[in-house]
Amino acid sequence: MAMTSGLFCPKCGKETEAEGLCTACFREEHVLFEVPQVLEVKICAKCPSYKVGEQWIDTKLETYEDLVKKATIKIVDLAVKMNKEAESPRIKIFPEFINPNVLRVRVQAEAYVLGRHMSDEKEVEVRVRKETCDICSRIAGGYYEGIIQVRAQNRFPTKKEMGKALKIIYDVVKKAEKAGDRLAFVTDEFDLPEGVDVYMGSVNCSRQASRAIVDDFGGTVLESPKLVGAKDGKDLYRVTFAVRIPEIVAGDIVNMHGKVVLVEKVGKRISGTELSSGHSTSAPEDVKLEKLSNRSEAMSTVLVSEEGNSVQILDPVTYEPMTIKKPIFLTRSPGDEIWVVKINNDVFLLPGGNRGKE
């Protein structure tokens, strides 16, 4: 004869193994979780981002499927409403495409409710809707907050300099984008004879890029804000960043401290090689330097002889022998071709090979 527990469910009267409601009645009175049968996921039609509430979330996902699945899991997870009595809840979400715009999602959950372990599974239909996110809308509309104007002092910048400046700007934009600045984008750029103008989505990113250019080239940056309106009671400004790179560049030959110096690096300090001795020297970037020549104007001649601290060379113009001080960088031997610059009546050897290049 079977033994009975002597315990009965107070609701349905079925025999139970423990005091209180049977499992069926307990599940009926204590629903583990609820979730809508149909949900909508909004993704950007142009970039890998999706919308949660009123906020767009950027991702680095490369495929449409990965983006939709990530957005689906996030939206479904937020929509799940667990029982208030649930302890140690665990939720698993399994999205599956029915077609490119509809997913079937299984939601599994388990937890302890009033000391009892419960588990349940529900199915949700998720429909995909494509919109254009706020940032893509701004880019399409030509939105900008900052303008970087790159110029050179008392000259036109070279194509090489402008290419380097643009690379610095785009590198800063890339880093700012990774750091979460959703306005870190370039709206437009205009190549001009006197330099380049770059329109930027973010003022902060524009400021960082301008300072990065000056850190590399030397020079100055001047900010000029302009009031363009107001939003939510706050004034809105567009800021122009006037970047001025130095007049002197690497390769120029200048009068520094009364000496003839080949400029090799321009930044916070201008450094180079004193051509008469070969020693390194430098000066602050704001020191006024007289430009005497440039390495591109070098001429070839012949090293005739070497004796002690002096060398004999041929004048590159008159071909007459002349004796000059031997710089410490000279590694050529008599009879070798050398490169020199002639400034007034003085001739200076250049370090390196062809036109002073290593």
Side-chain angles (χ1 to χ4, degrees):
M1 182 176 179
M3 299 291 293
T4 62
S5 63
L7 299 174
F8 298 92
C9 175
K11 183 175 181 181
C12 70
K14 290 182 179 179
E15 186 177 6
T16 64
E17 296 180 359
E19 188 175 350
L21 295 173
C22 67
T23 300
C25 290
F26 188 89
R27 289 175 59 89
E28 186 178 323
E29 288 203 3
H30 301 280
V31 176
L32 180 58
F33 75 95
E34 294 179 347
V35 65
Q37 291 183 333
V38 179
L39 288 171
E40 185 177 70
V41 163
K42 298 177 183 178
I43 65 168
C44 181
K46 295 185 177 181
C47 76
S49 64
Y50 62 92
K51 195 173 187 180
V52 177
E54 296 301 318
Q55 182 180 5
W56 285 94
I57 308 297
D58 287 323
T59 75
K60 302 302 178 185
L61 299 173
E62 296 182 357
T63 69
Y64 170 84
E65 290 78 10
D66 288 344
L67 173 62
V68 171
K69 283 186 176 181
K70 184 177 181 66
T72 295
I73 291 171
K74 181 67 175 179
I75 294 300
V76 172
D77 184 62
L78 290 173
V80 171
K81 302 300 181 184
M82 294 296 295
N83 188 304
K84 294 181 180 179
E85 304 290 341
E87 296 179 358
S88 304
R90 293 175 58 189
I91 302 172
K92 295 181 180 179
I93 299 170
F94 302 95
E96 180 184 355
F97 279 95
I98 298 176
N99 61 54
N101 296 312
V102 180
L103 294 88
R104 180 188 296 113
V105 182
R106 287 185 299 113
V107 184
Q108 296 176 350
E110 60 178 300
Y112 286 90
V113 178
L114 300 177
R116 291 196 186 188
H117 179 266
M118 294 186 67
S119 63
D120 198 2
E121 179 176 313
K122 297 181 186 297
E123 192 172 282
V124 180
E125 180 181 297
V126 173
R127 299 169 184 172
V128 182
R129 191 170 115 192
K130 295 180 182 179
E131 295 184 356
T132 302
C133 73
D134 53 347
I135 298 304
C136 288
S137 294
R138 290 181 179 185
I139 294 173
Y143 179 88
Y144 65 95
E145 292 181 359
I147 307 172
I148 301 177
Q149 296 179 333
V150 184
R151 305 288 188 271
Q153 297 173 357
N154 301 320
R155 64 180 178 87
F156 282 175
T158 66
K159 289 184 177 180
K160 184 177 180 180
E161 287 173 326
M162 291 300 91
K164 186 177 182 181
L166 286 172
K167 183 179 184 305
I168 290 172
I169 291 173
Y170 280 97
D171 285 347
V172 170
V173 168
K174 190 174 181 179
K175 290 179 181 178
E177 184 182 7
K178 286 183 178 179
D181 186 350
R182 299 195 74 238
L183 292 175
F185 57 81
V186 173
T187 304
D188 213 339
E189 64 178 72
F190 298 94
D191 293 323
L192 307 169
E194 62 271 23
V196 64
D197 289 354
V198 182
Y199 287 70
M200 309 275 287
S202 164
V203 167
N204 289 335
C205 191
S206 302
R207 183 175 292 110
Q208 292 171 13
S210 298
R211 290 175 178 173
I213 294 172
V214 170
D215 286 344
D216 190 284
F217 284 89
T220 61
V221 55
L222 178 66
E223 297 186 19
S224 301
K226 179 182 179 181
L227 182 65
V228 294
K231 184 177 181 180
D232 300 328
K234 293 183 179 181
D235 291 337
L236 297 178
Y237 291 88
R238 281 180 178 153
V239 183
T240 298
F241 297 85
V243 177
R244 298 294 179 265
I245 63 177
E247 178 180 3
I248 302 300
V249 298
D252 283 344
I253 298 169
V254 301
N255 183 341
M256 182 187 293
H257 313 306
K259 304 290 185 180
V260 176
V261 174
L262 170 65
V263 175
E264 294 167 336
K265 186 176 181 181
V266 177
K268 295 298 183 182
R269 292 187 67 83
I270 299 175
S271 59
T273 299
E274 184 186 331
L275 294 182
S276 60
S277 68
H279 293 297
S280 297
T281 187
S282 67
E285 64 170 335
D286 57 355
V287 168
K288 182 64 177 177
L289 300 175
E290 178 190 2
K291 181 176 177 180
L292 305 173
S293 184
N294 184 275
R295 189 169 60 183
S296 63
E297 299 172 7
M299 297 176 285
S300 66
T301 187
V302 176
L303 177 63
V304 177
S305 64
E306 179 181 345
E307 185 175 351
N309 293 325
S310 300
V311 293
Q312 189 176 67
I313 66 171
L314 296 180
D315 184 298
V317 177
T318 66
Y319 301 105
E320 295 181 357
M322 61 184 304
T323 300
I324 62 174
K325 183 179 178 180
K326 175 187 174 182
I328 61 175
F329 57 72
L330 180 63
T331 58
R332 301 292 190 226
S333 301
D336 287 347
E337 180 186 46
I338 55 175
W339 288 82
V340 299
V341 289
K342 190 166 185 178
I343 299 173
N344 298 324
N345 293 320
D346 296 318
V347 176
F348 299 89
L349 274 70
L350 291 174
N354 185 24
R355 294 191 183 276
K357 296 179 182 179
E358 294 295 341

